[in-house]
Amino acid sequence: MLINENLFKINSQNSFLAATEVVKNYKASNPGNKVISLSIGDVSFPVASHIAKKMIEAVNNEANENYVGYGNQIGIPALIKAIQQNEYPSFSLDEIYVSDGTKSDAGNLLELFDQDALIGIYEITYPIYENSVKSLGRKFEYIPVDNNFLPTIPKNHFDVIYLCSPNNPTGINYDYKTLKKIIDYANRERCVIICDNVYFKFIENGVKSIYEVEGARSCAIEMRSFSKHASFTGIRCSYYVIPNELHNGINAVWKSRTINRFNGASYIAQIGALASFDAEATVEIEENLKYYKNNAKYLATKFKDLGYKVYGSNDAPYLWISCKNNKKSWDLFLEFLQKIEVVIVPGIIFGESGNDYFRVSALGKYEDVVEAMRRIEEYEKK
Ligand code: PLP
C-alpha cells in the first residue's frame, strides 16, 4: 500500500505509551506488589447516579419504536441549548458543536485551515496536538514557554496556535494579561488560537474561558469536555465553540463538513451530558472536584516540604514539579517505580524542555496519594 508516511512521525519514544509499557512490564515481573500511580489522567469516580439514570432511560428509549437514530451530527438540540445557556450565553446555537472527545476535536479542527497553514505548538504541552499535526503532515514549529511556563509571544507569523489553559502538564491557568497578549498577537497576525479548556471546572480564581478576554471572539476556538469533571472519560462527549467572527460563513461550511464527516457523539452519551447540567448531578460533580482539589493541596504541601519546586495544583488536577539533584525525568520515573513502586509522569513526554520536571496527578484516590507521599518521604530520608 501507499502508506501515509506521516504516521511514522508520531512520537513513540518518550511517550505515554512507552511509560505505560514500562509500568506494565514492571507489574508483570512483580506480581502482588502494590504499585501506586500518581500519573493517572483518568478519573477516580464513576458518573453521578443521576447521569447514569438518565443514560439508562436513553438506552431504554433506543429499545422502543421512538428510538433516536441518525441526524444529530452537530449534537442533540437540547444539549447544545444547555451548553449555550449554562456556559456560552453570548454565543448563538450554531456556533456550538457537540462531539466525542477533545482529543479527537484537537486534531479534527485542523481541517478548518489551509494545508499550508503554519501551526504553533508550545514547547511543553499536552502531546496530542503535536502528534495530530505530525500525522496529518501539517507544518508546525515550536514556540517557547518562559521560565514560569507561561506562553511567550511568537516572533514570527503563525496561522494557528494550540493553547492549553488550564495547562496539562503544568496545571497553570493563564491569567488575563497573559491571554490578552496572545489574543492581541493573534488578532494582529490573523492567527487562530485553538484553546483546550477541558479543565475549566477546576479553576478556582481567574479566567475560566478565553472569551472572557477582550478580543478573543475574533481569533479563538474553545474546546471543552465532560471527561474530567463529569467522569465521561469512558462515555465520551465534548464540545467546542467556533465564533462567527472568525471568518465569513465559517459555521455554514463547518456544519456541512461535520455532517459529511461525522455522525455525531453517541445519543446515550449526549443524554448523559445533558443530565450533567441538572442540579441532582452538579452536587455530586462538585463533591468530586473538591476531593481532587484536596488531593492536589496535599500533594503540593508534601512535595514542597520535601524541598521540591512545585507549579500548578490550584486550577487543574496536575502538579508540575522540578526534579532535584540534576536528575532527568525518565531516570526519576524509573527510580521511583523500581525503588518505591510509585508512578510519576516523566516531563520529557510533554516536550524536550520538560526533561527536568515530572507531572503528578491529583485525580487518584486520597489513600493512594497519602501512601505514595509516605513512600517518597521515607525513601528520601534514607
Ligand atoms: N485535553 C487535555 C489537555 C487533556 O489533558 C485531555 C486528557 O487527558 C484531553 C484533552 C482529552 O479529552 P477527552 O477525554 O475529551 O478526549
Side-chain angles (χ1 to χ4, degrees), residues 9-55:
K9 296 179 185 161
I10 292 176
N11 296 345
S12 53
Q13 258 187 334
N14 297 329
S15 63
F16 269 114
L17 206 66
T20 308
E21 201 59 24
V22 170
V23 176
K24 201 176 103 194
N25 291 339
Y26 180 86
K27 284 182 180 169
S29 325
N30 298 277
N33 289 14
K34 182 159 166 58
V35 175
I36 296 182
S37 175
L38 287 183
S39 69
I40 49 168
D42 209 337
V43 292
S44 286
F45 292 103
V47 284
S49 49
H50 172 74
I51 295 176
K53 195 177 110 216
K54 291 288 179 185
M55 287 197 293

Side-chain angles (χ1 to χ4, degrees), residues 179-342:
L179 289 170
K180 182 78 172 88
K181 279 195 231 158
I182 308 172
I183 286 166
D184 287 347
Y185 164 88
N187 280 321
R188 215 166 44 236
E189 292 288 326
R190 305 192 63 189
C191 164
V192 171
I193 298 166
I194 300 180
C195 186
D196 184 340
N197 189 227
V198 300
Y199 297 103
F200 72 106
K201 286 274 185 187
F202 290 80
I203 301 171
E204 279 179 6
N205 299 305
V207 182
K208 293 210 161 66
S209 159
I210 197 162
Y211 301 121
E212 288 172 27
V213 182
E214 195 200 331
R217 276 180 98 113
S218 49
C219 66
I221 290 169
E222 183 162 86
M223 307 184 291
R224 286 183 172 176
S225 170
F226 294 94
S227 282
K228 306 294 174 160
H229 63 276
S231 300
F232 269 51
T233 50
I235 294 165
R236 314 301 306 141
C237 198
S238 63
Y239 48 112
Y240 54 86
V241 176
I242 302 182
N244 285 329
E245 285 90 330
L246 288 189
H247 195 283
N248 198 10
I250 190 167
N251 279 305
V253 287
W254 190 249
K255 189 170 179 189
S256 153
R257 169 269 173 208
T258 303
I259 289 168
N260 277 289
R261 302 257 294 105
F262 183 52
N263 260 331
S266 149
Y267 170 69
I268 292 150
Q270 293 196 60
I271 290 296
L274 178 60
S276 76
F277 290 104
D278 295 343
E280 298 94 313
T282 49
V283 174
E284 237 173 280
I285 289 172
E286 289 302 325
E287 268 172 23
N288 295 351
L289 287 168
K290 242 191 245 162
Y291 181 100
Y292 298 137
K293 286 187 156 294
N294 185 50
N295 282 352
K297 280 199 177 74
Y298 181 85
L299 286 163
T301 309
K302 283 285 176 187
F303 273 109
K304 279 181 198 163
D305 286 350
L306 291 172
Y308 285 94
K309 187 154 173 51
V310 177
Y311 298 84
S313 88
N314 290 332
D315 299 310
Y318 298 123
L319 291 83
W320 183 241
I321 304 172
S322 56
C323 302
K324 289 194 293 195
N325 308 323
N326 296 324
K327 283 187 185 160
K328 294 295 168 196
S329 66
W330 198 273
D331 297 335
L332 187 66
F333 156 70
L334 292 176
E335 184 181 333
F336 276 0
L337 176 66
Q338 289 157 3
K339 302 277 192 216
I340 50 172
E341 304 189 321
V342 170

Side-chain angles (χ1 to χ4, degrees), residues 51-97:
I51 295 176
K53 195 177 110 216
K54 291 288 179 185
M55 287 197 293
I56 291 165
E57 283 171 22
V59 170
N60 288 332
N61 185 61
E62 293 303 84
N64 72 39
E65 281 173 6
N66 302 320
Y67 71 91
V68 177
Y70 283 140
N72 290 303
Q73 297 95 334
I74 308 296
I76 57 172
L79 178 55
I80 296 178
K81 195 147 197 206
I83 293 167
Q84 183 221 29
Q85 287 180 341
N86 286 282
E87 296 178 14
Y88 295 107
S90 69
F91 287 89
S92 62
L93 297 171
D94 64 9
E95 293 170 293
I96 298 168
Y97 298 78

